[in-house]
Amino acid sequence: MGISVDTFFLKPDAQGTLQAQIQQMIAEGILSGRFHVGEKLPSSRKLATHLGISRITVTLAYTELLANDYLTSRGRSGYYVSDNAPVPPSYTPLQRAEETVDWNRAIARRFTGGDTLHKPSNWRDYRYPFIYGQADPTLFDHANWRLCAVRALGQKDFASLTADYVDQDDPLLIEFIARHTLPRRGITAKPEEILITLGAQNALWLAARVLLNRRRKAAIEDPCYYALRELLLQARCQVAPLRVDVDGLPPDAIPHDTDVIFTTPSHQSPTTATMPLNRRHDLLQRAREIDAMIVEDDYEFEMAFLAAPSPALKSLDRDGRVIYVGSFSKSLFPGLRLGYMVGSEAFIREARALRSLVLRHPPGHIQRTAAYFLSLGHYDAQIRRVSAALLERRKAIESAITDHGLTIAGRGAYGGSSLWMRAPKAVDTKVLAEKLRAQSVHIEPGEPFFSGPEKPKNYFRLGYSSIPVNRIEPGIEILAQSINRQ
Amino acid sequence: MGISVDTFFLKPDAQGTLQAQIQQMIAEGILSGRFHVGEKLPSSRKLATHLGISRITVTLAYTELLANDYLTSRGRSGYYVSDNAPVPPSYTPLQRAEETVDWNRAIARRFTGGDTLHKPSNWRDYRYPFIYGQADPTLFDHANWRLCAVRALGQKDFASLTADYVDQDDPLLIEFIARHTLPRRGITAKPEEILITLGAQNALWLAARVLLNRRRKAAIEDPCYYALRELLLQARCQVAPLRVDVDGLPPDAIPHDTDVIFTTPSHQSPTTATMPLNRRHDLLQRAREIDAMIVEDDYEFEMAFLAAPSPALKSLDRDGRVIYVGSFSKSLFPGLRLGYMVGSEAFIREARALRSLVLRHPPGHIQRTAAYFLSLGHYDAQIRRVSAALLERRKAIESAITDHGLTIAGRGAYGGSSLWMRAPKAVDTKVLAEKLRAQSVHIEPGEPFFSGPEKPKNYFRLGYSSIPVNRIEPGIEILAQSINRQ
């Protein structure tokens, strides 16, 4: 690709002759790595016209750069960055003058510094990646996804996909979710009650912003998905963390002045506890008594390979107080960034207006591709394939854990893609995880999931969605040795 | 596609025999439009196992539905929704019981009800769509976009695209923007100073949330992009609207207690005014004096077909106080939802953390597709093609406007895709736009762009990015007749 003439400017305050300025511009482009070896420079005529200077000035500059081996000439076809030019391996702009802005003053609100799991971006390089929430490329129906994407890029769809939807969603995707996805959870919803979001995270954030403010209180599970706690802290509402038990969130513990209850009844995150049906009824009853809304994060209901999942809390909701959050991150892949929320029209209307303010709408092409993939039945086949693999891995990990004498603190009754583990009291799993890195084992320390000052340090999560089945036992062996050595 | 067995549930509180319940489930599925004609039902064995009931019960229910012509049987291949079944044209779930939640109380913050332009979603059906900000499919290099998308879906890229990036972006796209896009605006930036956003709207929102709070003040242009004013109102900061003149925002008018200045120097939105170089220097000087940050929305610099665009404000910024917002909505298409922001590392770090909280990251596939399209040179070709078409349309619209005696209030000196128009004082352009709809002419009333109680009603915007050149003159003729008739 040629270097665009539009990237050349004469600086009003520049020193030296015009020819020298041009030479410097090009040398800087090369030395900073902005221009690559072999890239073609604009013709002298073009550059001269663009800068409003005489062509001879440009030609002289080029000749000089040729002599210095910055450029090379290929006869009539023009000037190129020379093979011998000192191009650095990556683009590193030349140092600018020191900035004078005081960012400590300029930044009104800080968003960094919260609890986050530091997931290694190179987790694929680990031999034993017990990572959670990443896709396994070997299980994904890549060929059909590609076909759907190409179909969604077809001329027929193109007009509707390129347009600014303003605040709307792809009607095909909405219809599929209403007719096929939600009925699996026992949920009935009209299109006006469904909003597509940029993943479940985006749905939780929208719900928090619409339903909470400084005077309101949110009840959350403890431990819970750390990013939920983080976004509630940012919403500056009051937060009541409630310790979960083996059946998930205990309804009795919910404070009477709670406005919104955030819960993961089907697979408590991260303990994997499944809330029994009678507790679901009790939870709805408690919410009715104190007039609280419920945000139900049903983030991996599809991964139910041990038993059929129980119906969603939302399906039992007669009052309209449950807001249901679903996601395609686990069943398709997380990089897709597609989720959805279901709730009463009055709520969805506000969430839609807020989404519009923040990002308008998730990209049309992504929505349409997912709609095709779902409606052609590939999604069901995908879930069957992933479930079969997860079942095999689940058996392998449970048996390895038993063999090596480790302790499972929570395992989803229906399936899921992770186990919640407890190490002996004395073990700090952050330190453990750090040590294991040297042996190419990745585990997730449990501490960031907990609220409050007295966070247990001896829990951890083992994901099995991205580790090949034959790596599981050897990985658990290393883990067990490391724990026993503590 | 078959109807999934997972969508069948026995309700714990249901009345009647099991057979009757199954018949009712299926009849409801048909009558609500959830099941379509020709869709296959689960086999009686499968459904019986799933529900934990005897197979004969399911078979009897199916036989009964067959007799009533809800279902049809195709020999051994099973039961299907009958061609004669009373399936409604769209999915309309049966009415549920009245919801009891008081949403007026439950909603903590309202986001609906702001100033918005009501863009018709069927604008393509208009014969004369002087609409702004939509793509013209006839100008888009659809074939190459598709090739890039397919390449980005290739096995090689798949792993990196399906992953949860957590808070990162596609390094290929970032590198391209740094090396090729920003230099066109005279801007030098390192990867850590660039954040990909879900369109320019998302960038503006992130900047507002990081830099403003209730005690801080934002200066905005008046008139301005209505969604910017809306998101500042939601951020609850103080807002000072400053009337723009023919050169855009006047620096002298900026209050001394301003914290953030939002400006569109290259094509003032919506008046299209271009800020001259000396005013750009004055604006930077004023910002330095009062220690204010500047958010520069450079939303359509590529559409410069009349003259080369002047360098961005950011390129003149020595202090690091300018945050630059760019977008691919105008040069590629708005449904892509890709934009970016450039600023000091300290700022980008906070914006990244906030983005992560709200939506994590823009989808990987979209980022990679754009990176390929840009780096293979299709983007430059695309801009040349769009610019040539816009130039032709711009000439046609200006000459039609002159011929029909209408008044241009603002025209971008470099190009752009719209004109800012002034009708006679007595004309309310909202009423005018409404009347024109009957003649298949779409124009945008100017009132929502203005701040404060005394909004001029006689301005309007004429977009020419989506109207074929031969429709321009006839459309302007109808418009002129309608204005003269007022």
Side-chain angles (χ1 to χ4, degrees):
Chain A
M1 200 179 127
I3 298 162
S4 170
V5 74
D6 298 336
T7 65
F8 291 85
F9 295 96
L10 290 173
K11 287 181 197 154
D13 54 350
Q15 304 289 317
T17 65
L18 282 173
Q19 185 194 323
Q21 286 180 46
I22 291 166
Q23 281 171 231
Q24 200 193 336
M25 250 190 271
I26 294 168
E28 269 186 25
I30 290 171
L31 292 169
S32 68
R34 188 155 80 75
F35 303 161
H36 285 187
V37 163
E39 281 183 334
K40 188 179 179 181
L41 275 97
S43 73
S44 56
R45 194 179 44 76
K46 227 176 181 173
L47 185 54
T49 312
H50 173 74
L51 297 176
I53 62 178
S54 100
R55 189 172 167 189
I56 187 74
T57 310
V58 178
T59 308
L60 286 172
Y62 278 6
T63 312
E64 192 69 25
L65 288 161
L66 202 65
N68 296 337
D69 215 0
Y70 277 96
L71 300 184
T72 175
S73 143
R74 299 194 193 148
R76 287 211 188 151
S77 91
Y79 292 88
Y80 296 80
V81 177
S82 162
D83 290 347
N84 305 319
V87 175
S90 67
Y91 177 47
T92 39
L94 303 185
Q95 215 57 46
R96 283 162 304 187
E98 200 63 39
E99 293 187 346
T100 59
V101 167
D102 175 5
W103 285 104
N104 280 328
R105 201 207 68 79
I107 288 169
R109 304 181 218 215
R110 297 212 167 260
F111 299 93
T112 51
D115 268 340
T116 48
L117 292 178
H118 296 285
K119 298 197 185 191
S121 59
N122 67 335
W123 62 268
R124 277 170 229 274
D125 300 335
Y126 281 73
R127 195 162 164 81
Y128 310 104
F130 292 105
I131 197 162
Y132 177 80
Q134 297 285 2
D136 183 342
T138 65
L139 295 177
F140 188 68
D141 182 359
H142 183 233
N144 275 315
W145 179 262
R146 203 163 145 160
L147 285 176
C148 290
V150 169
R151 181 169 163 192
L153 285 165
Q155 284 290 2
K156 200 163 72 66
D157 284 319
F158 195 71
S160 66
L161 292 180
T162 51
D164 180 351
Y165 286 7
V166 190
D167 64 353
Q168 296 301 306
D169 286 310
D170 183 1
L172 276 194
L173 182 58
I174 293 280
E175 200 212 335
F176 189 91
I177 291 172
R179 284 183 52 219
H180 296 281
T181 310
L182 296 175
R184 284 168 190 262
R185 311 299 289 125
I187 300 170
T188 304
K190 297 181 288 184
E192 304 79 48
E193 295 170 328
I194 305 172
L195 185 72
I196 306 294
T197 60
L198 230 81
Q201 170 91 14
N202 188 224
L204 294 173
W205 185 86
L206 291 169
R209 299 305 293 198
V210 170
L211 298 176
L212 291 163
N213 60 26
R214 281 162 200 247
R215 290 175 304 283
R216 298 201 176 190
K217 183 180 276 187
I220 59 170
E221 297 169 340
D222 181 26
C224 80
Y225 175 42
Y226 58 89
L228 170 66
R229 202 174 49 233
E230 191 62 25
L231 70 84
L232 293 175
L233 290 178
Q234 289 294 355
R236 301 196 185 171
C237 61
Q238 301 160 55
V239 178
L242 309 174
R243 193 51 70 98
V244 299
D245 59 29
V246 287
D247 290 337
L249 184 68
D252 299 344
I254 299 168
H256 66 91
D257 59 346
T258 301
D259 295 287
V260 186
I261 303 159
F262 287 85
T263 182
T264 51
S266 296
H267 289 96
Q268 203 278 328
S269 173
T271 70
T272 78
T274 307
M275 191 182 287
L277 189 61
N278 56 358
R279 187 178 277 196
R280 290 179 192 230
H281 283 293
D282 292 349
L283 177 58
L284 286 167
Q285 184 52 39
R286 177 68 184 154
R288 190 174 301 121
E289 280 164 22
I290 62 174
D291 196 16
M293 303 296 127
I294 298 175
V295 177
E296 175 186 23
D297 183 0
D298 197 32
Y299 61 99
E300 61 174 13
F301 77 85
E302 299 97 336
M303 305 299 116
F305 45 81
L306 297 174
S310 48
L313 204 59
K314 177 73 186 160
S315 74
L316 308 171
D317 168 32
R318 300 279 160 271
D319 305 350
R321 68 178 68 251
V322 178
I323 290 149
Y324 177 88
V325 173
S327 159
F328 294 112
S329 291
K330 301 291 182 292
S331 50
L332 296 174
F333 50 84
L336 187 62
R337 311 297 319 128
L338 270 190
Y340 50 94
M341 61 202 303
V342 181
S344 296
E345 235 180 296
F347 167 80
I348 291 293
R349 204 180 300 127
E350 297 303 322
R352 184 186 301 281
L354 174 57
R355 187 194 70 174
S356 176
L357 206 61
V358 174
L359 58 84
R360 292 218 179 159
H361 58 81
H365 169 63
I366 296 273
Q367 294 197 42
R368 182 58 57 92
T369 303
Y372 283 148
F373 193 80
L374 296 167
S375 64
L376 293 171
H378 303 313
Y379 175 71
D380 292 300
Q382 172 72 21
I383 287 173
R384 278 194 299 275
R385 191 169 40 250
V386 171
S387 292
L390 287 181
L391 174 59
E392 198 190 359
R393 292 174 193 182
R394 170 72 170 254
K395 282 181 187 161
I397 200 169
E398 288 206 20
S399 101
I401 284 169
T402 309
D403 292 352
H404 292 283
L406 298 180
T407 309
I408 296 178
R411 60 185 110 200
Y414 300 109
S417 59
S418 65
L419 295 174
W420 184 239
M421 305 291 295
R422 188 173 55 239
K425 266 264 156 71
V427 176
D428 180 340
T429 56
K430 244 189 210 164
V431 178
L432 178 68
E434 190 56 46
K435 280 187 187 162
L436 284 166
R437 280 173 60 180
Q439 288 167 281
S440 209
V441 178
H442 173 80
I443 65 163
E444 281 185 89
E447 197 183 346
F449 294 100
F450 288 96
S451 301
E454 298 279 305
K455 302 180 181 194
K457 292 182 187 303
N458 60 323
Y459 287 88
F460 61 104
R461 179 157 69 172
L462 288 180
Y464 50 86
S465 61
S466 302
I467 184 167
V469 68
N470 60 348
R471 295 276 172 83
I472 288 177
E473 199 279 330
I476 296 293
E477 186 177 4
I478 299 172
L479 170 63
Q481 283 168 353
S482 192
I483 287 178
N484 293 333
R485 224 180 292 126
Q486 299 273 315
Chain B
M1 198 179 127
I3 297 161
S4 169
V5 72
D6 298 335
T7 66
F8 292 86
F9 294 95
L10 290 174
K11 287 180 195 155
D13 54 348
Q15 304 288 316
T17 63
L18 283 172
Q19 185 194 321
Q21 286 179 45
I22 291 166
Q23 281 170 230
Q24 201 194 335
M25 251 189 271
I26 294 169
E28 270 186 27
I30 291 171
L31 293 168
S32 68
R34 188 156 77 76
F35 303 161
H36 285 186
V37 164
E39 280 183 334
K40 188 180 179 182
L41 276 96
S43 73
S44 55
R45 194 179 46 76
K46 227 177 180 173
L47 185 54
T49 312
H50 174 74
L51 296 176
I53 61 178
S54 97
R55 189 170 169 189
I56 186 75
T57 309
V58 178
T59 308
L60 286 172
Y62 278 9
T63 312
E64 192 68 25
L65 289 161
L66 201 66
N68 297 336
D69 216 0
Y70 275 99
L71 299 185
T72 176
S73 144
R74 299 191 194 151
R76 288 210 189 148
S77 93
Y79 292 89
Y80 295 79
V81 177
S82 161
D83 288 348
N84 304 319
V87 174
S90 67
Y91 177 47
T92 40
L94 304 185
Q95 212 59 46
R96 282 161 307 186
E98 199 64 41
E99 292 187 348
T100 59
V101 167
D102 175 6
W103 284 104
N104 279 329
R105 200 207 70 78
I107 288 169
R109 304 183 217 214
R110 297 210 165 261
F111 298 94
T112 52
D115 269 339
T116 49
L117 291 179
H118 296 284
K119 297 197 183 188
S121 58
N122 67 334
W123 64 266
R124 277 170 229 275
D125 300 336
Y126 281 73
R127 198 166 162 77
Y128 310 104
F130 292 106
I131 196 161
Y132 177 79
Q134 298 285 2
D136 183 341
T138 65
L139 295 178
F140 188 67
D141 182 357
H142 183 233
N144 275 317
W145 180 261
R146 205 164 143 159
L147 285 177
C148 291
V150 169
R151 180 169 164 194
L153 286 164
Q155 285 289 3
K156 200 165 72 68
D157 284 320
F158 196 70
S160 67
L161 292 179
T162 52
D164 181 351
Y165 286 7
V166 188
D167 65 353
Q168 294 303 305
D169 286 311
D170 183 359
L172 276 193
L173 182 58
I174 294 280
E175 198 211 336
F176 190 91
I177 291 172
R179 286 184 51 218
H180 296 280
T181 310
L182 296 175
R184 284 169 190 263
R185 310 300 289 125
I187 299 170
T188 304
K190 297 178 289 182
E192 304 78 45
E193 295 171 326
I194 306 172
L195 185 73
I196 306 294
T197 61
L198 232 82
Q201 170 91 14
N202 188 224
L204 294 173
W205 185 86
L206 291 169
R209 298 305 293 197
V210 169
L211 298 176
L212 291 162
N213 59 27
R214 281 163 201 244
R215 291 173 304 282
R216 298 202 174 188
K217 182 179 274 186
I220 59 170
E221 296 169 341
D222 182 26
C224 79
Y225 175 43
Y226 58 90
L228 170 66
R229 202 173 49 233
E230 191 64 24
L231 70 84
L232 293 175
L233 289 177
Q234 288 294 353
R236 301 194 186 172
C237 60
Q238 300 160 55
V239 178
L242 309 175
R243 193 51 68 99
V244 300
D245 59 29
V246 288
D247 290 337
L249 183 70
D252 300 343
I254 298 168
H256 66 91
D257 58 347
T258 300
D259 296 287
V260 187
I261 303 160
F262 287 85
T263 182
T264 50
S266 295
H267 288 98
Q268 202 279 328
S269 173
T271 70
T272 77
T274 306
M275 191 181 288
L277 190 61
N278 55 359
R279 187 178 277 197
R280 290 179 192 229
H281 284 292
D282 292 349
L283 177 57
L284 285 167
Q285 184 52 38
R286 177 68 184 153
R288 190 173 302 123
E289 280 163 22
I290 62 175
D291 196 17
M293 303 297 126
I294 299 176
V295 177
E296 174 184 24
D297 183 1
D298 196 34
Y299 60 100
E300 60 174 14
F301 77 85
E302 299 96 337
M303 306 297 116
F305 45 82
L306 297 174
S310 50
L313 203 58
K314 176 72 185 158
S315 75
L316 309 170
D317 169 32
R318 299 279 162 271
D319 306 350
R321 65 178 70 252
V322 177
I323 290 150
Y324 176 87
V325 173
S327 159
F328 295 111
S329 292
K330 301 291 182 294
S331 50
L332 296 174
F333 49 85
L336 187 60
R337 312 295 320 124
L338 269 191
Y340 50 94
M341 63 204 299
V342 181
S344 295
E345 238 181 295
F347 167 80
I348 291 293
R349 204 180 299 129
E350 297 303 322
R352 184 186 301 279
L354 175 56
R355 187 193 72 173
S356 176
L357 207 61
V358 173
L359 58 84
R360 290 214 180 162
H361 57 81
H365 170 62
I366 297 273
Q367 293 196 43
R368 182 58 57 94
T369 302
Y372 283 149
F373 194 80
L374 296 166
S375 64
L376 293 172
H378 303 313
Y379 174 73
D380 292 299
Q382 172 71 19
I383 287 174
R384 279 195 298 273
R385 190 167 43 249
V386 171
S387 292
L390 287 181
L391 174 60
E392 197 190 359
R393 291 175 193 180
R394 169 70 170 254
K395 284 182 185 159
I397 200 168
E398 289 207 22
S399 102
I401 285 169
T402 310
D403 293 352
H404 293 283
L406 298 180
T407 310
I408 295 177
R411 61 185 109 198
Y414 300 109
S417 59
S418 64
L419 295 174
W420 182 239
M421 304 290 296
R422 188 174 54 241
K425 266 265 158 67
V427 175
D428 181 340
T429 56
K430 243 190 211 162
V431 177
L432 176 69
E434 190 57 46
K435 280 186 185 159
L436 285 166
R437 280 174 58 180
Q439 288 166 283
S440 209
V441 178
H442 173 81
I443 65 163
E444 281 184 272
E447 197 182 347
F449 294 100
F450 287 95
S451 301
E454 298 277 307
K455 302 179 181 197
K457 291 180 187 302
N458 60 323
Y459 287 87
F460 60 104
R461 180 159 67 173
L462 288 180
Y464 51 87
S465 61
S466 302
I467 185 167
V469 68
N470 60 349
R471 295 277 174 81
I472 288 177
E473 197 280 329
I476 296 293
E477 184 176 8
I478 299 172
L479 169 64
Q481 284 167 352
S482 191
I483 289 178
N484 294 332
R485 227 180 290 124
Q486 298 272 318

